[in-house]
């Protein structure tokens, strides 16, 4: 989509889908069946806009930034979108009362309590619609597709067509290795974090505490990811080394969390501090690896367009997340198997990165041709 329509048209199309999707969820219809269809339609439109938002960062950084700024730009553009997910961890528990009665003096069966929860949910939906409409208006007013002059040789070079790009990706064994190294742990982690409150309920962690854990893990991942990307810009050719460090930390943190949840067997101390620390460290290590992975993808398969490359790996990640959540519908009474998927996926990713032979084709073009 970036490759054909350009950055401005793609962003406007994406934001318009988000505005329409958020607007459908706010239509005041009393019929519950019609309201349900409108909400599902709005969610579908919002989901259609999702891949563009997730995959825009590498294309944006290549188009607008010089080689010694690209990793930092990719990190900022990709990780700032995570702050919306971090805010969702807080908005839900703090704005909308818990339906189990723990956040309200009124019982669940009370009609006044039900109406209060409904009003708070509608307030959140209206606020989201207002924010999306504001973003669309800003993009419509000013969002150029490219700078007046290309910032690098790679930004001005020709890219492969769609057909040749997919053939190049599917036939490149090294790309398939790092694509799986990204998709497996990030897909598992996305599914796991989505039901974090259910996973922590058996160890007596409230919904609010689970929200704070998710919030700080994402915020920490944003900060560390931008710092790591800035380090990668200063010392080029270190993307594999950075990923090895991050995935090693993710493997240790996920193993610590899983063993802590089995305190009756492992006799590890099960406290709020240990759960907070292990979960937040896991989120920091995995979330901060996203922009580093994106940069390594683009470098490995250049001149395949950035949007196609990142779109393929994002699709793979969503597949793994979907498969995991599908199994969760059958095995939802006990979550120890779900917890063990985390260290297993991180360890597998670490082994794939260890065996991966890195190359920097885009960086080589910029350095050699510019000299």
């Amino acid at each position: 989509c970036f490759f054909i329509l350009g950055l401005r048209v793609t962003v406007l199309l994406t934001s318009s889908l988000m505005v329409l999707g958020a607007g459908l969820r706010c239509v005041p219809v009393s019929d519950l069946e019609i309201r349900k269809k409108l909400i599902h339609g709005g969610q579908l439109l919002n989901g259609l806009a999702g891949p563009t938002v997730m995959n825009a960062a590498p294309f944006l950084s290549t188009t607008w930034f010089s080689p010694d700024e690209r990793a930092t730009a990719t990190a900022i553009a990709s990780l700032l979108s995570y702050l919306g997910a971090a805010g969702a961890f807080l908005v839900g528990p703090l704005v909308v009362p818990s339906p189990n009665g723990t956040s309200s003096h009124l019982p669940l069966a009370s009609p006044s309590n039900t109406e209060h929860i409904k009003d708070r949910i509608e307030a959140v939906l209206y606020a989201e619609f207002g924010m999306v409409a504001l973003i669309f208006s800003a993009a419509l007013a000013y969002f150029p597709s490219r700078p007046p002059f290309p910032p690098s040789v790679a930004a001005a070079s020709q890219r492969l067509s769609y057909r040749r790009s997919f053939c190049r990706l599917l036939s490149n064994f090294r790309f398939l290795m790092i694509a799986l190294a990204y998709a497996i742990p990030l897909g598992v982690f996305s599914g796991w974090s989505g039901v974090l409150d259910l996973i922590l309920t058996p160890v007596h962690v409230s919904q609010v505490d689970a929200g704070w854990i998710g919030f700080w893990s994402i915020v920490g991942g944003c900060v560390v990811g931008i710092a790591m990307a800035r380090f990668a810009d200063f010392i080029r050719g270190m993307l594999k080394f950075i990923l090895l460090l991050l995935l090693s930390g993710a493997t240790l943190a996920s193993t610590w969390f899983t063993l802590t949840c089995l305190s009756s067997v492992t006799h590890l101390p099960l406290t709020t501090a240990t759960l907070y620390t292990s979960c937040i460290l896991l989120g920091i290590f995995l979330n901060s690896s996203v922009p580093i992975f994106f940069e390594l993808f683009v470098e490995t398969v250049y001149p395949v367009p950035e949007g196609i490359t990142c779109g393929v790996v994002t699709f793979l990640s969503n597949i793994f997340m979907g498969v995991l959540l599908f199994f969760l519908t059958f095995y939802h009474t006990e979550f120890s198997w779900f917890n063990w998927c985390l260290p297993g996926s991180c360890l597998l990713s670490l082994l794939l990165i260890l065996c991966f032979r890195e190359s920097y084709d885009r960086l080589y073009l910029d350095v050699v041709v510019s000299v």
Side-chain angles (χ1 to χ4, degrees):
C1 193
F2 295 114
F3 189 60
I4 297 176
L5 301 177
L7 192 59
R8 174 178 171 80
V9 177
T10 303
V11 169
L12 290 177
L13 177 62
T14 301
S15 55
S16 63
L17 288 175
M18 295 171 63
V19 171
L20 183 59
L24 286 178
R25 297 186 305 176
C26 298
V27 176
V29 179
S30 57
D31 190 305
L32 292 180
E33 286 300 319
I34 297 178
R35 185 71 183 271
K36 186 186 299 183
K37 292 179 181 179
L38 289 174
I39 291 175
H40 283 299
Q43 291 297 100
L44 176 63
L45 292 175
N46 189 67
L48 291 175
T52 302
V53 176
M54 298 174 65
N55 303 323
F59 181 79
L60 179 69
S61 63
T62 300
T63 304
W64 281 89
F65 295 90
S66 62
D68 58 348
E69 300 172 329
R70 280 197 296 242
T72 305
T74 298
I76 294 174
S78 61
L79 292 177
L80 282 184
S81 64
Y82 280 48
L83 292 180
F89 278 107
L90 297 183
V91 170
L94 295 180
V95 177
V96 181
S98 176
N100 58 14
T102 56
S103 298
S104 176
H105 298 293
L106 299 173
L108 178 61
S110 172
S112 58
N113 187 38
T114 303
E115 287 299 318
H116 178 64
I117 294 176
K118 178 183 176 181
D119 293 339
R120 302 303 293 174
I121 292 176
E122 289 181 349
V124 173
L125 295 179
Y126 285 126
E128 290 178 349
F129 174 72
M131 288 186 290
V132 173
L134 179 62
I135 293 172
F136 172 73
S137 301
L140 185 62
Y142 182 77
F143 196 99
S145 288
R146 60 181 60 87
F149 303 99
S152 64
V153 176
S157 62
Q158 293 292 324
R159 305 304 173 88
L160 299 180
S161 64
Y162 268 100
R163 182 178 179 180
R164 292 185 62 190
S165 296
F166 280 109
C167 292
R168 174 76 67 90
L169 293 179
L170 296 178
S171 62
N172 191 325
F173 180 72
R174 293 192 304 120
F175 168 75
L176 295 177
M177 284 181 62
I178 55 172
L180 290 176
Y182 168 87
I184 294 176
L186 268 299
V188 172
F189 178 71
S190 297
W192 177 83
S193 59
V195 293
L196 183 59
D197 56 335
L198 298 179
I199 292 174
L200 294 176
T201 297
V203 292
H204 309 293
V205 175
S206 68
Q207 173 182 294
V208 175
D209 286 334
W212 280 110
I213 290 174
F215 173 80
W216 287 117
S217 63
I218 294 177
V219 171
C222 291
V223 174
V224 174
I226 293 173
M228 286 294 182
R230 195 63 194 145
F231 173 76
D233 278 331
F234 277 119
I235 305 179
R236 301 175 184 176
M238 300 288 288
L239 297 178
K240 177 180 177 178
F241 175 73
I242 294 174
L243 285 177
L244 288 175
L245 291 179
L246 295 176
L247 291 172
S248 297
T251 303
L252 293 176
S254 59
T255 303
W256 180 20
F257 172 82
T258 302
L259 294 178
T260 301
C261 290
L262 298 174
S263 58
S264 59
V265 178
T266 60
H267 303 291
L268 290 175
L270 178 60
T271 63
T272 303
T274 57
L275 289 174
Y276 261 71
T277 304
S278 57
C279 285
I280 291 174
L281 285 176
L282 173 62
I284 288 175
F285 288 128
L286 285 182
N287 289 327
S288 60
S289 70
V290 171
I292 308 300
F293 267 117
F294 279 179
E295 285 295 297
L296 190 59
F297 293 146
V298 176
E299 294 287 354
T300 302
V301 298
Y302 185 84
V304 175
E306 294 85 350
I308 297 178
T309 304
C310 297
V312 168
V313 297
T314 302
F315 176 73
L316 287 176
S317 177
N318 289 333
I319 286 180
F320 282 105
M321 179 181 65
V323 169
L324 198 65
L325 293 178
F326 174 76
F327 280 106
L328 185 63
T329 61
F330 298 99
Y331 305 99
H332 56 273
T333 56
E334 204 272 332
F335 294 98
S336 61
W337 67 273
F338 206 166
N339 291 334
W340 279 113
C341 288
L342 276 172
S345 63
C346 292
L347 180 60
L348 177 60
S349 177
L350 180 62
L351 295 176
L352 288 172
I353 294 298
L354 276 172
C355 299
F356 173 72
R357 179 176 59 84
E358 60 185 330
S359 63
Y360 297 89
D361 300 340
R362 182 182 59 172
L363 180 62
Y364 178 80
L365 175 67
D366 284 327
V367 173
V368 171
V369 175
S370 61
V371 171

